[in-house]
Amino acid sequence: MRRALTAAALLAASALPAVAAGIEGQVQQQPINVIAIGMFVAFVFFTLGITWWASKRTRSAADFYTAGGGITGVQNGWAIAGDYMSAATLLGLSALVYSSGYDGFLYATGFFVGWPVIMFLLAERLRNLGKFTFADIASYRLDKSKVRTFAAVGSLTVVCFYLIVQMVGAGQLIQLLFGLPYNYAVVLVGVLMIVYVTFGGMVATTWVQIIKAGLLLLGGTLLLILAMFKLGFSVEGIARQAVAARGAAGEALMGPGKLLADPVTAVSLSLGLVFGNAGLPHIMMRFFTVPNAKEARKSVFVATGLIGFFFLVVCTVGLAAISIVGTDPQFFEGGKLGGKLIGGGNMPVMHLAKALGGDIFLGFLSAVAFATILAVVAGLALAGASAIAHDLYAGVIAKGTATEAKEMRVSKIATIAIGVVAIFLGIAFKDQNVAFLVALAFGVAASVNFPVLLLSMYWRGLTTNGALAGGIAGLICAVTLVVLSPAVWVKVLGNAQAIFPIDHPALFSMTLAFVVAFVVSKLDGSAQAEAERAAFDEQDVRAETGIGAAGATAH
């Protein structure tokens, strides 16, 4: 059960696709994996070549932030899938199925259902109303200075929390899979992140994400084919063999377990994952990279298909690992079946790769797992840089008077600063339990960004005061509840019992944000509020038709 909960924490990190939040504390360094290192070096050199190519096409702020709106829907769908499908998904979800069976499939479903929300509620309006960032939409008819400042702070908060998780995960994952020291991994990821974003902008980031998605899907599919070749080309047959391999405890694999036994926890976690995903700044930025709303909708459709297929693949190989890895003593410490897996509870899929494809396939999958981190941190760094340069500097400090050249310069300086800060934070949090940062990031995204975003697009009555009050209430509530939860109050601060019994605050903090925004907006009778309500009609026409929306840049 302990392994299952750890895997669940790791999987929770993957919903925007973070990595390795479930790999906590000290991690035993493994022997040097020369094959994995060689394959990863080849990936790095290839993507650096793409960055050089992209730098020739990055001439304006639109190119830097959104690839000039010139990414097709299919390409953007692959890039979104690359943002979403992480090493944590590959390792955590398969480990959850390996340890808990049916519960793993339930979790996969929970992480998947957020995409229809984005496709039907947000995708087209995001593309029609926005230019570069979430703040463009939230401030469309509200006070631009106040709302941009608030939106930028919310975005940077989420980016910061996720970067810490990514950097800690990178260091610990590279110890497990490559056998290299932790600090080397953190510095390497930080430097590569700075290079990708500073020189290549969104064009380079997009293609790194596309390539990473392709490699991850290729690796997962090959592993599935090898597993089915060994166990029979029948998912039902694989499930039956998994049940048989577990002996007396086997039947419990095919029924609901204890991971979602508490309905309040299940609902709060689900709300955080579904709506937090829709409030993540680096996911929202992807909808500004396509030329129009039709391509935005197509990109979500493509991403949904790729992500759904990947989840099915990972869940199936998790079942296959029960029969293959779970019955082979070489993958257990001391050769004791049913004991602790070598490398930790999140390693079944890697052991399965070695069992079916030897060291070469293990090296390939290890390199792919680490490469996924680079794609995610590049997207996060770009979102953070855009919040600083476009929202705070150009929109608030310069009040729209900054030249494009100055904004680009600030963006690149911000990217370097974010990279340096990420490296220092990754080293500082080296041996810390950072799983609570995942809950906090999703709580902030679901309780701050999403309510303001949804209400600003769909409710005429939202005012600047209502948006700020609701967002601030959601932020304070989310942070407070996470601090008082078992993840922080017990595991980090060492208290005997948590004051707030649930790790995921979205059910309470998101609800509070909506209620406060509604009440304050209703009570706001100022002249400014009336003007903001009157401006909704023009905004709604543009959201529905795209008339006046930012167009793609010619290259």
Side-chain angles (χ1 to χ4, degrees):
M1 184 62 182
R2 172 72 176 173
R3 286 198 306 272
L5 288 172
T6 302
L10 175 60
L11 180 59
S14 73
L16 190 69
V19 64
I23 303 175
E24 302 167 4
Q26 294 283 352
V27 175
Q28 182 181 356
Q29 187 166 320
Q30 302 297 303
I32 296 290
N33 188 330
V34 177
I35 296 174
I37 294 172
M39 290 183 176
F40 178 69
V41 169
F43 172 85
V44 168
F45 275 105
F46 183 65
T47 50
L48 286 176
I50 290 175
T51 303
W52 176 82
W53 165 79
S55 68
K56 306 297 183 183
R57 300 166 59 92
T58 303
R59 300 183 295 268
S60 66
D63 294 334
F64 183 81
Y65 294 130
T66 63
I71 304 298
T72 69
V74 173
Q75 291 169 345
N76 197 42
W78 277 87
I80 290 173
D83 241 350
Y84 197 83
M85 300 183 308
S86 68
T89 311
L90 178 66
L91 299 178
L93 181 52
S94 60
L96 185 56
V97 173
Y98 173 86
S99 59
S100 299
Y102 180 80
D103 276 356
F105 285 89
L106 289 180
Y107 264 76
T109 303
F111 294 125
F112 184 68
V113 296
W115 288 101
V117 173
I118 295 177
M119 182 161 66
F120 292 113
L121 285 182
L122 302 179
E124 292 188 30
R125 287 175 176 255
L126 280 170
R127 179 60 189 87
N128 287 337
L129 290 174
K131 185 178 181 182
F132 295 152
T133 66
F134 148 66
D136 290 335
I137 300 164
S139 65
Y140 188 90
R141 60 185 175 89
L142 305 180
D143 185 292
K144 288 183 169 34
S145 179
K146 293 179 181 178
V147 175
R148 278 189 181 278
T149 302
F150 171 76
V153 170
S155 296
L156 286 170
T157 301
V158 174
V159 167
C160 181
F161 292 150
Y162 254 102
L163 274 177
I164 294 175
V165 174
Q166 293 293 325
M167 301 307 283
V168 173
Q172 296 181 346
L173 196 61
I174 205 170
Q175 283 181 277
L176 284 172
L177 301 181
F178 287 14
L180 293 178
Y182 175 92
N183 289 355
Y184 289 4
V186 171
V187 174
L188 177 63
V189 172
V191 170
L192 287 173
M193 172 183 74
I194 291 171
V195 171
Y196 289 150
V197 177
T198 302
F199 294 100
M202 181 57 86
V203 178
T205 300
T206 296
W207 283 103
V208 169
Q209 289 163 340
I210 290 172
I211 294 167
K212 165 251 178 158
L215 290 173
L216 201 57
L217 282 167
L218 174 64
T221 303
L222 284 176
L223 187 60
L224 174 64
I225 292 172
L226 290 173
M228 297 186 85
F229 185 80
K230 184 179 181 70
L231 300 176
F233 287 84
S234 166
V235 176
E236 180 183 357
I238 293 175
R240 289 185 183 277
Q241 292 177 68
V243 170
R246 283 288 169 88
E251 290 190 8
L253 284 173
M254 295 299 109
K258 298 179 180 179
L259 292 182
L260 294 175
D262 177 8
V264 176
T265 299
V267 171
S268 195
L269 171 63
S270 299
L271 289 174
L273 293 177
V274 172
F275 298 115
N277 188 40
L280 292 169
H282 62 297
I283 292 292
M284 286 185 283
M285 277 191 74
R286 293 239 53 93
F287 293 102
F288 307 133
T289 65
V290 292
N292 52 55
K294 178 183 176 182
E295 293 299 306
R297 186 172 61 248
K298 184 189 295 183
S299 65
V300 183
F301 181 79
V302 171
T304 302
L306 294 173
I307 293 165
F309 173 75
F310 183 69
F311 277 4
L312 289 174
V313 167
V314 172
C315 287
T316 306
V317 298
L319 280 179
I322 296 174
S323 304
I324 299 173
V325 175
T327 57
D328 192 337
Q330 71 168 311
F331 299 118
F332 292 86
E333 293 185 0
K336 183 180 178 182
L337 286 176
K340 186 176 180 181
L341 284 171
I342 294 174
N346 293 306
M347 297 298 287
V349 72
M350 291 301 173
H351 293 318
L352 183 64
K354 183 174 182 178
L356 298 175
D359 287 336
I360 293 179
F361 193 37
L362 172 63
F364 169 73
L365 211 58
S366 299
V368 170
F370 189 63
T372 61
I373 302 172
L374 295 179
V376 177
V377 297
L380 286 168
L382 193 54
S386 67
I388 294 172
H390 179 64
D391 296 331
L392 291 180
Y393 172 71
V396 178
I397 297 174
K399 299 187 183 301
T401 62
T403 65
E404 194 168 271
K406 285 186 178 179
E407 186 175 338
M408 285 278 289
R409 193 178 308 122
V410 173
S411 295
K412 294 185 177 184
I413 294 172
T415 301
I416 296 172
I418 289 171
V420 172
V421 169
I423 290 172
F424 279 107
L425 288 176
I427 294 173
F429 279 81
K430 177 178 180 180
D431 297 321
Q432 300 300 311
N433 181 332
V434 296
F436 74 94
L437 292 177
V438 178
L440 196 51
F442 272 95
V444 170
S447 307
V448 180
N449 294 350
F450 176 71
V452 174
L453 179 67
L454 189 72
L455 291 175
S456 67
M457 288 195 296
Y458 281 98
W459 186 41
R460 176 192 302 273
L462 182 69
T463 66
T464 296
N465 291 332
L468 295 177
I472 292 171
L475 176 63
I476 293 174
C477 183
V479 173
T480 301
L481 294 185
V482 169
V483 171
L484 300 179
S485 72
V488 179
W489 200 252
V490 176
K491 295 179 182 178
V492 177
L493 300 180
N495 295 294
Q497 187 173 355
I499 297 175
F500 181 70
I502 300 172
D503 284 333
H504 306 280
L507 175 61
F508 308 94
S509 55
M510 187 177 76
T511 303
L512 179 65
F514 274 110
V515 170
V516 171
F518 178 81
V519 171
V520 173
S521 294
K522 280 291 187 182
L523 296 176
D524 190 351
S526 65
Q528 179 186 353
E530 291 301 324
E532 291 166 351
R533 295 185 184 102
F536 179 80
D537 289 331
E538 186 271 333
Q539 173 188 304
D540 197 45
V541 169
R542 174 164 161 173
E544 292 285 357
T545 65
I547 296 174
T553 301
H555 288 285

